[in-house]
Amino acid sequence: MQRQHRLGANRQFTYVYRRGKRASCRDLTLLYVRNNQKKVGFSVSKKVGIAVVRNRTKRRLRECVRPLLPSMRNGLYVFIARPCAAERTVAELGKQVASLLKKLESQPKRKP
């Protein structure tokens, strides 16, 4: 995934954690905040495994999101991996990512 599409600073993650809409499935949770840019971040805790396993999980998630990026609407996205996500294949994670994005779009919009 290109650098311009990545969430960088810790404050951006914190902002999404506080303000984001949430959609969950068995292995992943997705947080979304509307914004004029399109940026994606990945959070994999130490509960998932050692550094090698966490980095592999993040690489797999990045590969799942990359083809879907043009169809995603602008905003800040954070994908949070649960410990069982490390055991899934790229295809299984891809299906879950797509279903989370679809679930998020089908949520009713809150009135301000």
Side-chain angles (χ1 to χ4, degrees):
M1 191 176 343
Q2 296 174 349
R3 192 168 198 66
Q4 67 190 15
H5 294 300
R6 291 189 187 176
L7 272 179
N10 187 26
R11 61 187 163 84
Q12 289 179 320
F13 278 90
T14 307
Y15 177 76
V16 176
Y17 286 138
R18 266 194 272 120
R19 303 250 175 145
K21 282 198 265 179
R22 185 178 297 261
S24 296
C25 64
R26 185 175 1 134
D27 300 327
L28 301 170
T29 299
L30 172 61
L31 296 168
Y32 168 75
V33 174
R34 202 167 50 174
N35 197 342
N36 57 357
Q37 300 174 346
K38 191 183 299 183
K39 293 194 177 232
V40 181
F42 302 94
S43 176
V44 182
S45 76
K46 287 188 177 182
K47 292 178 184 178
V48 174
I50 60 175
V52 173
V53 175
R54 293 194 306 267
N55 289 332
R56 183 184 320 127
T57 304
K58 282 189 269 190
R59 282 196 307 271
R60 286 179 175 175
L61 286 171
R62 263 188 232 115
E63 272 307 301
C64 294
V65 170
R66 192 174 50 81
L68 300 172
L69 205 55
S71 64
M72 292 166 59
R73 58 185 175 188
N74 285 350
L76 305 176
Y77 296 85
V78 174
F79 288 90
I80 303 170
R82 294 198 178 116
C84 52
E87 302 163 5
R88 304 291 177 244
T89 64
V90 176
E92 291 170 337
L93 286 175
K95 286 179 185 176
Q96 290 186 22
V97 166
S99 72
L100 284 177
L101 290 170
K102 187 178 279 189
K103 190 186 291 189
L104 192 68
E105 286 182 7
S106 67
Q107 283 183 350
K109 295 182 180 173
R110 288 187 278 178
K111 293 181 182 178

